[in-house]
Amino acid sequence: MPNVAASFASDGAPDEPILAQYERVRAQSMGLIKGLSAEDMMLQSMPDASPTKWHLAHTSWFFETFLLQPHLTGYQSFDDAYQYLFNSYYDTVGERHPRPQRGLLSRPSLEEVIAYRHHVDEAMQQLLQTTDAEIESAVTIGLHHEMQHQELLQTDIKHALSLNPYALPTSNTTRAPSRTPDSADFVEFEGGLSWLGTNAESSFAYDCEQPRHQVFVPDFSLCERLVTNAEWLEFMADNGYQRPKLWLSDGWATAQQENWQAPLYWHRQDSQWWTIAGQQRRPLDPNAPVCHISYYEADAFARWRGCRLPTEFEWEHAARAMDLKGHFLESGRSLPQPATSEAKGLKQMFGDAWEWTQSPFTPYPGFKTPEGALAEYNGKFMANQWVLRGGSCATAAQQMRLTYRNFFYAHQRWQFTSLRLAK
């Protein structure tokens, strides 16, 4: 087992025993599959996504590979073939099944995967009767890894079900109109040297959030809230998807090739725009934040408004004084919610939807990968991707923190991604 204590602190929830944390997070994953059939959970709609069944197995594989096999005396693997089938990208651990072909894994069955989870959980309960700092650190990594997959599970099954016109019923629930957000005022921030990132000395953080370092941030301003669906409709009405001067060259080529005319999951029926919320098709709320947009779309919209995307350094500098509150997974919301506060100042900095920044995902000065297999956790992805900040309505609350850096490719849209304007 690699010594990861130097790069990953072990107190994701300091007041909750590690076994209780483990049981809560694992139960939360199972709660997310409510209403899904075995057939639903085998679907893989694109190479970027994975079947629900695979997520359930892979998160168990993580605990089996990095905790049970090296630390629990006498542990017997559930099935040796799972080491190959459910490895994701840990090449130092061994060979792995090709990612684009995960949807072909009709075997093992869902029942066998659930039995695998129970097998791992029983063994983990035995292991966690007595722990040390190294084990607790590794378990904490595993729990945050599982929470990441909880978000991916939600977005992956949403994408899969969206491709079947008969899979999702139309909501016939009458909803009260949401409050129209205040005008999009900007909050000004004085620049200067700012401490960013963390050394993870007293709380959990991933390797890519470290080390804490200073960055010079010029004066800037951020919009109080996220861009709304109504504002995006204005962009569309002004032919935003048809004007190449608004777009980065690669973005324009991608938008033309993919025939983008609106955010992902939007569709128009008669005079009404609809979207997908959870496992339903629902009328678009004009006052809610736009989501499921690519970096290219976010950048084009910002340019259309005479603004830009913030850097991740501006975002963290501005968010440092904010309470870490918002609509996260536990709120039960299946879409970002409209800004409701009448008070002036920043809103929606945490939860609701991930915010694209103009910062590439690169290592911080002084970044060091941890030793062993977990060195592959984030460092190998630090190329050609963009940083997002703030979390979403599909992010577990325990997963979120000020310094959290999410990252995706510029063309990807299936995550809960939005934007906040900057100047």
Side-chain angles (χ1 to χ4, degrees), residues 339-377:
T340 56
S341 173
E342 297 182 3
K344 291 296 182 182
L346 294 178
K347 308 171 181 66
Q348 302 173 310
M349 291 294 282
F350 296 101
D352 283 313
W354 290 100
E355 303 179 28
W356 285 107
T357 75
Q358 61 172 266
S359 297
F361 183 53
T362 57
Y364 286 161
F367 170 80
K368 295 181 180 179
T369 58
E371 297 294 329
L374 290 177
E376 299 183 75
Y377 205 87

Side-chain angles (χ1 to χ4, degrees), residues 80-93:
D80 290 341
Y82 289 12
Q83 287 295 306
Y84 171 81
L85 293 176
F86 300 122
N87 184 358
S88 55
Y89 51 76
Y90 296 88
D91 293 316
T92 57
V93 172

Side-chain angles (χ1 to χ4, degrees), residues 158-227:
K158 180 174 183 176
H159 187 268
L161 295 178
S162 75
L163 301 179
N164 182 343
Y166 301 103
L168 300 175
T170 298
S171 173
N172 55 11
T173 303
T174 302
R175 301 178 185 274
S178 63
R179 174 184 174 275
T180 302
D182 297 330
S183 59
D185 294 331
F186 281 74
V187 180
E188 296 183 358
F189 292 90
E190 183 177 352
L193 284 174
S194 180
W195 283 101
L196 301 169
T198 178
N199 288 330
E201 295 172 348
S202 61
S203 60
F204 176 85
Y206 286 122
D207 52 357
C208 64
E209 300 169 49
Q210 304 172 60
R212 191 167 184 256
H213 63 289
Q214 280 190 305
V215 173
F216 181 78
V217 180
D219 295 348
F220 68 98
S221 60
L222 291 183
C223 186
E224 286 189 327
R225 55 168 174 78
L226 300 178
V227 169

Side-chain angles (χ1 to χ4, degrees), residues 126-146:
Q126 182 180 347
L127 176 66
L128 296 180
Q129 294 304 312
T130 58
T131 64
D132 57 27
E134 181 183 4
I135 289 177
E136 287 207 16
S137 177
V139 172
T140 299
I141 298 169
L143 295 179
H144 281 262
H145 167 261
E146 179 137 353

Side-chain angles (χ1 to χ4, degrees), residues 5 62 76 102 112-113 119 142 166 180 187 192 203 209 241 283 290 298 348 368:
F62 189 99
Q76 295 294 318
R102 291 171 184 170
E112 289 172 302
V113 167
H119 175 84
Y166 301 103
T180 302
V187 180
S203 60
E209 300 169 49
Y241 280 95
V290 66
Q348 302 173 310
K368 295 181 180 179

Side-chain angles (χ1 to χ4, degrees), residues 250-284:
D250 286 347
W252 179 251
T254 302
Q256 296 305 298
Q257 180 179 350
E258 301 294 329
N259 193 30
W260 290 347
Q261 301 295 327
L264 185 63
Y265 305 129
W266 284 28
H267 63 282
R268 191 166 185 168
Q269 184 174 334
D270 299 326
S271 60
Q272 174 71 56
W273 281 97
W274 294 73
T275 190
I276 295 174
Q279 297 181 36
Q280 286 187 332
R281 300 185 186 275
R282 184 181 300 173
L284 188 72

